[in-house]
Amino acid sequence: MGDRAIRDHRLIRLLAALAALAILVPAPAHAWGFYAHRKTAAIAEANVSPETRAKIRRLMRSERLLGTPECKLATIADASVWPDCVRRSFWRWGYTAAWHYRTTPICEAYDPRANCAGGNCVTAQIERNHRILADESLPDHIRLEALAFMVHFAGDIHMPLHSGDRDDRGGNDRETDYGIVPSLNLHWIWDGPLAERAISDPADPVVRRYSSAERADLGGGVAADWGRESWAISRDFVYPTAFDTEDVCGQDLPMKTALSQEDIVRGVPIARRRVQQAGVRIAELLESAFAPGPLPVAEDER
């Protein structure tokens, strides 16, 4: 191989490496990334009854009445990312930004009612939209919008850093290397590359019909419970692992850190389980919303 051929070969390898790294560079914020959200929707769709799938398809026929042609809402997978898509039209949908999270400091006791003034947080909006979806007296397109918000937010609440926080906007302010990839941030890593790695093993697919025992293990609870789980994961794993200390509350944490390959491997099963839990629980929300009977009661009405 001549000198020029060697240079060309090295250039091709360099460009390929840069392209691979570019996949990991943060794009505009989409909680849990489109890929992971769509996986939760696919799990949910595989675990609802044929009757519920039929009712969802009927609601989807009212899509055009939403007036969001740039953001499709024709499938459950579309629903899982629709709330992030419409946020691009800030003048119309900006008020929904606070609905995607409800961070609680990991160094304080978990309070399911804190940081949610006027119901503007993810836990309250899961309940609110579940109730709207269940109300058959409402127009189909109103219920369809609620379905999309509910499906998406039920995914969001399972991402640990949408609930746990260490004075850093859920890890957004912590510059964090991801293995050999430099200068991402802790939130983005759990949103994107770590979650995607956790659910991308073709030999062990997460999208399938789960057994009754698996659904019992992965499902159950209400939004406040799911938020508490995420907060505990942030407190007990995400921050201690990222900063190599169990004492994440007794000291100031640096604004820059790194996840080693070992850290990433340890985080994969946690991220994978959260995606699976989200999918199974979304299926439960959909089944209960479309089930005949009285409207679900919000937590603050119990």
Side-chain angles (χ1 to χ4, degrees):
M1 184 181 292
D3 290 345
R4 181 171 181 178
I6 291 173
R7 288 196 301 272
D8 289 346
H9 180 67
R10 288 175 177 170
L11 178 60
I12 291 171
R13 291 178 61 189
L14 175 61
L15 291 173
L18 291 173
L21 289 176
I23 295 172
L24 299 177
V25 174
H30 297 296
W32 241 3
F34 276 25
Y35 181 71
H37 268 300
R38 286 182 177 273
K39 285 288 187 180
T40 66
I43 293 169
E45 188 166 22
N47 287 277
V48 295
S49 66
E51 293 78 13
T52 292
R53 281 195 293 272
K55 291 177 181 178
I56 291 170
R57 285 195 298 271
R58 186 182 66 78
L59 281 188
M60 297 291 180
R61 297 173 191 161
S62 64
E63 176 195 13
R64 65 179 183 81
L65 296 177
L66 296 174
T68 59
E70 70 284 1
C71 299
K72 295 297 182 184
L73 188 43
T75 66
I76 301 179
D78 290 343
S80 73
V81 297
W82 183 85
D84 273 341
C85 181
V86 296
R87 283 173 66 189
R88 297 170 185 165
S89 298
F90 186 80
W91 63 272
R92 183 178 174 192
W93 299 99
Y95 68 94
T96 68
W99 295 359
H100 294 249
Y101 61 91
R102 194 192 69 81
T103 50
T104 297
I106 59 171
C107 299
E108 299 177 9
Y110 181 81
D111 181 352
R113 298 181 183 275
N115 304 326
C116 194
N120 288 297
C121 74
V122 68
T123 48
Q125 289 301 320
I126 291 171
E127 290 187 343
R128 170 181 173 268
N129 285 286
H130 180 249
R131 183 164 183 170
I132 292 171
L133 176 60
D135 190 345
E136 295 183 353
S137 71
L138 295 173
D140 281 357
H141 70 285
I142 300 298
R143 297 176 67 210
L144 176 58
E145 179 184 299
L147 182 149
F149 279 129
M150 184 193 75
V151 168
H152 180 86
F153 296 151
D156 278 348
I157 201 171
H158 283 81
M159 203 289 267
L161 290 168
H162 278 257
S163 291
D165 176 76
R166 183 63 172 85
D167 303 318
D168 55 12
R169 297 189 306 127
N172 275 290
D173 296 334
R174 306 283 180 178
E175 183 179 346
T176 307
D177 297 343
Y178 179 72
I180 64 170
V181 183
S183 302
L184 303 183
N185 71 63
L186 188 60
H187 189 104
W188 167 253
I189 287 169
W190 278 84
D191 256 357
L194 183 57
E196 291 176 13
R197 175 170 173 170
I199 56 177
S200 298
D201 183 357
D204 190 14
V206 295
V207 178
R208 55 184 171 80
R209 178 75 179 180
Y210 288 91
S211 69
S212 297
E214 288 174 314
R215 293 198 299 273
D217 173 52
L218 295 167
V222 296
D225 301 321
W226 310 336
R228 187 188 300 273
E229 292 169 353
S230 287
W231 169 82
I233 292 169
S234 294
R235 179 196 61 189
D236 299 337
F237 183 84
V238 176
Y239 283 95
T241 301
F243 296 96
D244 297 316
T245 179
E246 294 299 320
D247 185 22
V248 293
C249 296
Q251 59 181 307
D252 291 333
L253 300 178
M255 298 309 295
K256 183 172 182 178
T257 188
L259 293 182
S260 67
Q261 184 60 30
E262 181 183 26
D263 295 333
I264 295 166
V265 169
R266 289 174 60 215
V268 161
I270 295 173
R272 177 185 174 87
R273 181 173 174 82
R274 293 309 276 168
V275 171
Q276 291 176 299
Q277 287 177 314
V280 169
R281 288 163 172 174
I282 290 168
E284 292 175 344
L285 287 170
L286 290 168
E287 290 286 8
S288 63
F290 286 107
L295 293 177
V297 178
E299 182 178 295
D300 60 1
E301 296 178 313
R302 292 176 188 137

